[in-house]
Amino acid sequence: MRWSLTLGSFKGTAVRIHITFLLLLAWIGFSAYRSGGAPAARDSVIFITLIFACVVLHEFGHILMARRFGIFSTEVTLLPIGGVANLDHMPEKPYQELLVALAGPAVNVVIAAALFIALGAFQPETLAQLDDPHLNVLARLAAANLFLALFNMIPAFPMDGGRVLRAALAMWLPRGKATRIAAFIGQGFAFALGFLGLFGNPILVFIAIFVYIAASGEAQMTVASEAARGLSVADAMETRIAAIAWGADLGEAVETLLATSQDQFPVVAADGRFMGLLDRSDIIEALKADDRSAPIAPHVQRDAPTVSAAAPLDETIEKFAGASAMGVLDADGVLVGLLTRQSIGEIMLIANLRPDWRLGRRG
Ligand SMILES: [Zn+2]
């Protein structure tokens, strides 16, 4: 995950911390300093470090449970809403996903229970005064663990609760449908949390915005990569496309533009090699500046992204992000198709509507 620092590693899993988590720590330390000076800031930082340790233990709850099912994790990233472990694949069976998702919050419940027992009192009301430095640090830590468990059980991706919900639904429904329903419920919860945050304290607003963004992004990504799993770029690419020759002039490019409804045109050399991409807007820009006999080559986007036809579609979608189109090449660099936002959208639609159709050529 970008914007993360590596802290160390345990049993082959690197522990990384996201910059937003550090911002949260800095904000809490600063608030304590303003209200109680250096001692309060020190106590707050110690307290936050203890919570941080509990979040790490939470993540290792997931990681060690996943390992029972043969799933390994190379890194875990800590975010303000908890942590994200990059499992090398998701559990196949719904009950496995359920156990892996529950193992994290279960660690926090165990820590909270152990601390409450050690304190000899159950004080969940401490939850409302987590930032009160006059309270016993262990009581606050117990309450914080209760909070971590409850917060992570919010049924919205990417929280554990979202995965628990999906896994529970997947026990009765096809996985794709379970994901869509869980994503829909999750977005609703994220929206409600965002709305409640407006009337709450600043930290709730901060969390709500983060959850809203993360939940809707993750929901879309989850739905997209679910549908794309097992498909290759070759399955999704457009093959009936008009290409423009590398040596063409502006007049020929305009004719191709008029003859098709394409918005992106691959530009190919005489031997079929992909030279770059022309957008509709590139041709229109060229029209303003050049005559019809001027070469089109200077207007071609030479750095246009390319992908192998055999590449897995789910990974390619992540890289596609800001691109308008990707040239699809065979092993010799010859253009075999074009991957566009529209062609990805179409295969997703079909894969979502008819998950029973075996569209993929892989596995
Ligand atoms: Zn978790």
Side-chain angles (χ1 to χ4, degrees):
M1 194 173 284
R2 268 182 285 176
W3 296 99
S4 304
L5 309 166
T6 303
L7 293 184
S9 78
F10 175 72
K11 289 195 172 181
T13 302
V15 178
R16 291 162 64 76
I17 181 164
H18 196 261
I19 200 88
T20 51
F21 195 96
L22 293 177
L23 286 176
L24 181 69
L25 300 195
W27 185 75
I28 288 168
F30 179 70
S31 309
Y33 182 80
R34 278 212 316 191
S35 61
R42 184 203 58 212
D43 290 350
S44 286
V45 168
I46 290 172
F47 177 57
I48 296 302
T49 307
L50 289 170
I51 292 183
F52 171 85
C54 293
V55 172
V56 173
L57 292 173
H58 168 113
E59 285 312 309
F60 277 94
H62 292 305
I63 290 165
L64 297 178
M65 180 61 82
R67 225 165 260 197
R68 287 168 163 254
F69 305 120
I71 300 162
F72 284 81
S73 187
T74 52
E75 67 172 53
V76 43
T77 308
L78 292 145
L79 301 165
I81 58 163
V84 180
N86 78 321
L87 305 178
D88 64 358
H89 60 271
M90 290 310 286
E92 298 287 316
K93 306 229 164 53
Y95 86 89
Q96 295 178 341
E97 183 176 26
L98 188 76
L99 290 177
V100 171
L102 284 173
V107 168
N108 297 115
V109 170
V110 168
I111 295 171
L115 288 170
F116 282 132
I117 289 166
L119 289 163
F122 178 61
Q123 302 157 306
E125 67 277 7
T126 317
L127 256 179
Q129 302 139 15
L130 272 185
D131 53 352
D132 183 348
H134 304 297
L135 287 174
N136 180 315
V137 71
L138 292 182
R140 286 160 68 204
L141 192 62
N145 272 280
L146 210 55
F147 171 80
L148 281 173
L150 290 174
F151 187 76
N152 276 286
M153 287 306 288
I154 292 174
F157 292 114
M159 254 78 73
D160 298 324
R163 300 186 199 290
V164 169
L165 178 62
R166 190 249 305 271
L169 290 168
M171 288 180 178
W172 292 280
L173 297 169
R175 194 182 164 84
K177 191 168 190 183
T179 301
R180 282 199 306 282
I181 294 172
F184 179 75
I185 294 173
Q187 280 171 309
F189 263 92
F191 186 77
L193 197 71
F195 190 72
L196 284 175
L198 293 177
F199 304 102
N201 60 31
I203 197 161
L204 189 60
V205 174
F206 175 81
I207 292 169
I209 292 171
F210 194 95
V211 170
Y212 187 78
I213 295 169
S216 33
E218 176 82 10
Q220 284 168 6
M221 276 309 296
T222 307
V223 170
S225 65
E226 277 300 317
R229 188 178 292 175
L231 298 176
S232 69
V233 169
D235 297 318
M237 69 185 180
E238 291 177 24
T239 50
R240 288 184 197 165
I241 39 164
I244 294 175
W246 175 239
D249 60 25
L250 178 55
E252 291 168 90
V254 169
E255 274 167 36
T256 312
L257 177 71
L258 292 173
T260 68
S261 58
Q262 278 169 239
D263 284 328
Q264 290 91 21
F265 299 89
V267 179
V268 292
D271 58 2
R273 266 180 315 119
F274 179 73
M275 300 302 287
L277 207 63
L278 272 173
D279 275 341
R280 190 188 177 75
S281 58
D282 297 328
I283 299 177
I284 289 164
E285 279 305 305
L287 268 173
K288 291 181 189 161
D290 294 334
D291 342 313
R292 43 179 317 124
S293 61
I296 197 69
H299 301 283
V300 174
Q301 301 167 26
R302 294 301 308 276
D303 56 351
T306 60
V307 63
S308 155
L313 186 61
D314 47 359
E315 288 168 26
T316 307
I317 289 172
E318 285 167 31
K319 293 180 197 138
F320 194 87
S324 61
M326 275 175 136
V328 183
L329 312 182
D330 69 8
D332 300 320
V334 171
L335 184 82
V336 291
L338 199 64
L339 194 66
T340 63
R341 207 164 280 284
Q342 195 186 357
S343 64
I344 293 173
E346 280 164 359
I347 190 130
M348 290 300 162
L349 182 72
I350 295 163
N352 265 318
L353 287 175
R354 301 306 300 261
D356 50 320
W357 286 12
R358 298 208 38 93
L359 293 161
R361 288 164 209 174
R362 294 190 299 144

